[in-house]
Amino acid sequence: MRNKKTSEEVALGIRRRVFEHSMRNNGGYLSQACSAGEQLAWLYNEELKLGDPTLPMIPKPFEGVPSADNPNYHTGAGYNGPFEPQYDRLFIAPAHYALVAYATLIEVGRMAPEGLEMFNKDGSSVEMIGAEHSPGMEVHNGTLGIGLSTGAGLAYGRKLKGEPGRTWVYMSDGEVQEGQTWEAVQAASFHGIDNLYAIMDVNQQQCDGAMDSVMEVGDLKAKFQNFGAVCVDIDGHDINAMRDAVNEPHDGKPLIILANTNPFHSMPILEERFPRLHYVRFKSEDERARMNVSIAKDLGVEPVDYSH
Amino acid sequence: MVEMVSRPYASAFEKFAVGKPEILCLSADLTSSCEVDGFRDRHPDQFLSLGMAEQNMMSFAGGLGLAGFRPFIHTFGVFMYRRPYDQLMASIAYPRRKVRLMGFLPGITTPGGMTHQSIEDISVMRSIPNMTILETGDATEVESICEAADSIDGPVWCRVLRGSVPRLFDTPIKVGEMRVLSEGDDILVVTSGITTEEAMRARSALKEAGLSIRHIHLHTIKPFDHKQLLDHIGSVKHGVVTIENHVTEGGVGSLVAETMADAGVGKRLVRLGLKDTYAHGGSRAYLMRYYGLDALALVGGIEDIMGQKFGITEEDMEAARVDDVHSLVKAEAL
Ligand SMILES: Cc1ncc(C[n+]2csc(CCOP(=O)(O)OP(=O)(O)O)c2C)c(N)n1
Ligand SMILES: [Mg+2]
């Protein structure tokens, strides 16, 4: 099921879906589609080694939280295929990227487009903040900064069991403000967990705005290296750069790819909202209409008819 | 129709803090989500951005307390005690720092799911020595929460409502007291936070069913006036129902249970709330129905004690407010 489309086409498809969704709902995590499109497209369309989905194309409704009394409980990891030794695993650490991640599942044929219609609807498993029971998710990462540690533990466990599959963590740059991120790198390096891979969306944005105005985080590459990782800095919209970065030797160390991105890449009109891009809700009908026309043109689609 | 107040915390905090240099506003990258963005822009000298780094923020606030400041910490409640619990204990609660912990999105008031919903915070805070606990249930309480919290000589945990908030009361929080909303003699209903409005929605239907309800609303959960609660329990014939935006263990239901057991009161108690479960993401009205925190669930609790059904349906309740997911009074859709 791979490579029917190019990763560039998948990235465009992701943006079109997130755009349409945000227009219809008068808001959404739209900027994350701009920054993350190529990274998620590359991961799912070419880099990750995944089996066929084991869960229905149209997601089932919410079937309960983990509990001894809930025999039906399952995570959404089945959209990434079965847990087999040879296959890779992926966590989306910043759970608010879920909308973009769901759009990716649709673009690569792992979820039906109807899945996105269920987004944030009552009783649905396609939650706004991706839960572990949401499509493509395996652990609940809504509290930021825990993803890399869980990934390190899973990777270590799989290493002990001799499994060749890799563990990937999709990260956001806000997560580096949490101390736990650094504890994770320290432990992964100390224990030689080189089957752990992370790619981070360095969009220099967080809830309050530009990261430099909220809490400066300094030279990330140098910091990751000092904590014991191998770290590569790339243009996060350049898929060839990702293909090269993943080949960086990192014997005995985790590999961290810093994908430097533009939070309004491919939707330049969003720059009007800079530096507050974390959640784009249209401030007026006029703004919504202008952005609809402008972004539709950028993405090569018709403006969204959101009147009904 | 209830009056709805838009972003009551925003103006209340500003009014309270201006001209008090010893009050500092701390935020962990949720400044607009906690309605202090205007304050940040107009009073940068009293504002400290600490980034998404809650553990550091808690001990940092303890240090500010040591220097004689009274920090008001703003973030979603859940991020203020789960990860940084140890820092909360060692740097704030144990040394009794005057840190005011403003926890937004209490319980299931957020669609963010398990990681965003503080469903056991009251239980945790009740078990922390030196901690005071306040919970807001309407706009007037939100407007008075800063003064109330700042009157305490020690740390204070506050559950704060945000966005569009109904006005149910016309007097400010008086720490240590409880509000008596009706003085019936069949059943005592004890509510706090958003469940108070639910109980008020059921009021006329219960009256029509011939029930005389005594209803008290708690804004102060710790310290607690056990004597007054016992007097109310003594005034009703059949029993007590608690309903809370929290798990039924360790919160208001437990507080009432402990009070009754300690005094040897032999009346029925029905505790409503999240029944030993995590919640998931969804609208507030959906979650209140799904997990049994709404007016209909309250009626069920009362029927349980009375041993009879009253045939009350959702149509018999006063209109519920439906929160708009994409309301302009919220910074995001949480
Ligand atoms: C521990 C924790 N603190 C705070 C939050 C609230 N929060 C959600 S996303 C976010 C911004 C983090 O920045 P980033 O992940 O880089 O997001 P971007 O704005 O780039 O999408 C914050 C503070 C959270 N989810 N978890
Ligand atoms: Mg970011």
Side-chain angles (χ1 to χ4, degrees), chain B residues 311-326:
Chain B
I312 297 174
T313 64
E314 179 59 41
E315 288 68 57
D316 302 319
M317 308 290 181
E318 287 162 44
R321 296 178 298 103
V322 179
D323 285 327
D324 185 1
V325 176
H326 289 287

Side-chain angles (χ1 to χ4, degrees), chain A residues 25 62 65 120 122-124 127-129 140 142-144 146 174-175 177-178 206-208 214-215 276 279 281, chain B residues 29 31-32 49-54 83 111-112 115-116 277-278 280-283 286 290 326-327 330 332-333:
Chain A
N25 291 280
F62 171 63
V65 292
N120 199 27
D122 288 341
S124 154
E127 298 197 14
M128 175 169 61
I129 303 298
H140 204 317
T143 172
L144 268 64
I146 66 176
E175 288 191 281
Q177 292 176 346
E178 293 283 354
Q206 58 187 119
C207 281
D208 277 358
V214 180
M215 179 59 67
R276 296 297 314 281
Y279 188 88
R281 178 184 296 112
Chain B
D29 191 28
T31 306
S32 9
S49 172
L50 286 166
M52 187 173 64
E54 296 82 4
R83 186 170 302 170
T115 55
H116 283 57
T277 182
Y278 295 96
H280 83 121
S283 73
Y286 157 81
Y290 191 85
H326 289 287
S327 153
K330 297 195 282 184
E332 10 61 11

